[in-house]
Amino acid sequence: MSDAFLRDALAGLTAVPKTLPGKYLWDETGSDLFDRICHSTDYYPTAQETALLPQASADVARQVRPGVTVVEFGSGASRKIRTLLDALPEPAAYVAIDISGAYLEAAIRRLAPDYPGIAMMPVCADYSKPVALPVQAGPGGILGFYPGTSIGNFDPTEAGRFLERARKTLGPSLFLVGADGTTDPKRLQRAYGAADGLMAAFHRNILSRLNRECGAEFDSKNFRHQIRLLPDPFRVEAHLVATQPGTYRLGGHAIAFAASESIRTDTSHKYTADAFQALARAAGWQPRALWQAEGGSFNLHLLQAED
């Protein structure tokens, strides 16, 4: 991972404007911080999805057969999967895909004792690229699961490509996907720029990770976390902004920052229900059901792919 991390970081930090790939936010420390963010009162997507998931899971359970294999993209702490597994009729296997290997293994160790009849299969992989499943579809077929707002980390073109890759990975299947369509500036500012400091720590950790894994010399205290709301397409961008000029070493290169120069560390695109379903159809999925939070901000979509 360090070679790829260094290569991608150098490409992003020597570009104009500077960027770092958001997938590298997710080491064990970053995953733990984001799990804490999901429990904060300001981070509304988790609360809205938690309210929708029991009904959605019950409805999905009526559409699958016993022996289904569940495949979760970006499984993280594997908390939300419990609601789905509890509702399904005799699921055969759970394939958890996540980029943070240590965090993934720990999550599966916590989950497995509560589901002794389900084969647990952790897959450490970058699901923004093609992923080969470690198991073939069982008698109940395959149900994909991509909760939260992670689809928003892809711009519309990339989101379409992800949905196409997921269709190839899952084959004939159902796919339960979360997407957030919130555009209220105050709500987004509270969620992504919360005063508790957790989101700032989550983003600054990528600089600490560069120091740990790639021998970099970043002073993370010189960077403040900032979010920006941008149109066309509507999105929330996270930036680390240099408060003072500085030059930092990375892989034999000098990375210079002017005061107020920033690194974009992540993007969350917001997809209305109609916009997401249009993307899904273009990628070969057919929308089958929709569950919406009050006001239609956060949505859970059930998609289907045929042979």
Side-chain angles (χ1 to χ4, degrees):
M1 175 66 79
S2 292
D3 289 345
F5 187 18
L6 176 60
R7 182 174 59 252
D8 291 347
L10 281 172
L13 292 175
T14 56
V16 180
K18 292 180 171 65
T19 65
L20 282 169
K23 64 185 179 182
Y24 292 116
L25 294 164
W26 303 97
D27 65 345
E28 188 171 5
T29 300
S31 297
D32 181 65
L33 282 166
F34 194 76
D35 188 50
R36 293 168 62 191
I37 288 166
C38 288
H39 288 83
S40 68
T41 55
D42 287 322
Y43 194 72
Y44 66 89
T46 301
Q48 292 190 353
E49 184 175 43
T50 299
L52 292 176
L53 197 52
Q55 184 60 59
S57 297
D59 293 345
V60 171
R62 288 191 284 270
Q63 301 186 50
V64 300
R65 303 185 304 276
V68 68
T69 294
V70 183
V71 179
E72 182 175 10
F73 296 86
S75 56
S78 292
R79 296 187 191 279
K80 298 171 186 175
I81 194 64
R82 290 176 178 269
T83 302
L84 189 56
L85 292 179
D86 288 344
L88 295 174
E90 301 177 21
Y94 169 51
V95 180
I97 305 171
D98 201 88
I99 197 170
S100 177
Y103 199 77
L104 173 64
E105 295 285 351
I108 293 299
R109 285 196 299 271
R110 290 191 299 268
L111 184 70
D114 295 333
Y115 298 92
I118 301 175
M120 298 282 165
M121 301 180 181
V123 176
C124 181
D126 176 4
Y127 63 79
S128 68
K129 301 175 182 178
V131 178
L133 297 182
V135 63
Q136 293 184 335
I142 289 182
L143 170 64
F145 187 42
Y146 193 34
T149 62
S150 295
I151 191 71
N153 296 141
F154 301 111
D155 67 29
T157 298
E158 293 168 335
R161 289 173 182 159
F162 165 76
L163 290 168
E164 289 175 355
R165 285 193 302 273
R167 182 168 52 83
K168 292 176 182 176
T169 296
L170 300 174
S173 58
L174 294 172
F175 194 15
L176 184 62
V177 185
D180 184 33
T182 301
T183 57
D184 176 58
K186 291 182 179 179
R187 171 172 274 185
L188 292 170
Q189 186 68 48
R190 289 195 303 270
Y192 290 91
D196 60 14
L198 287 174
M199 193 68 83
F202 173 64
H203 286 276
R204 277 199 295 263
N205 178 62
I206 199 170
L207 299 180
S208 300
R209 186 179 178 192
L210 279 168
N211 292 346
R212 290 192 305 269
E213 298 184 22
C214 300
E217 300 173 352
F218 287 98
D219 176 9
S220 61
K221 294 179 181 178
N222 188 38
F223 293 85
R224 62 183 177 85
H225 174 245
Q226 180 188 77
I227 69 163
R228 301 172 185 176
L229 308 185
L230 299 169
D232 302 324
F234 188 85
R235 63 200 186 275
V236 182
E237 290 187 356
H239 289 253
L240 292 174
V241 182
T243 58
Q244 300 292 332
T247 300
Y248 307 98
R249 303 295 299 180
L250 173 63
H253 296 258
I255 311 295
F257 286 83
S260 300
E261 187 176 7
S262 75
I263 312 166
R264 189 184 73 239
T265 53
D266 203 19
T267 306
S268 182
H269 291 81
K270 301 303 175 183
Y271 293 107
T272 65
D274 288 345
F276 178 80
Q277 290 186 354
L279 279 175
R281 288 189 181 94
W285 295 94
Q286 292 302 315
R288 291 295 181 238
L290 172 66
W291 300 266
Q292 292 188 292
E294 185 177 354
S297 53
F298 185 87
N299 305 297
L300 281 169
H301 300 264
L302 184 64
L303 312 176
Q304 185 172 16
E306 306 289 354
D307 290 323

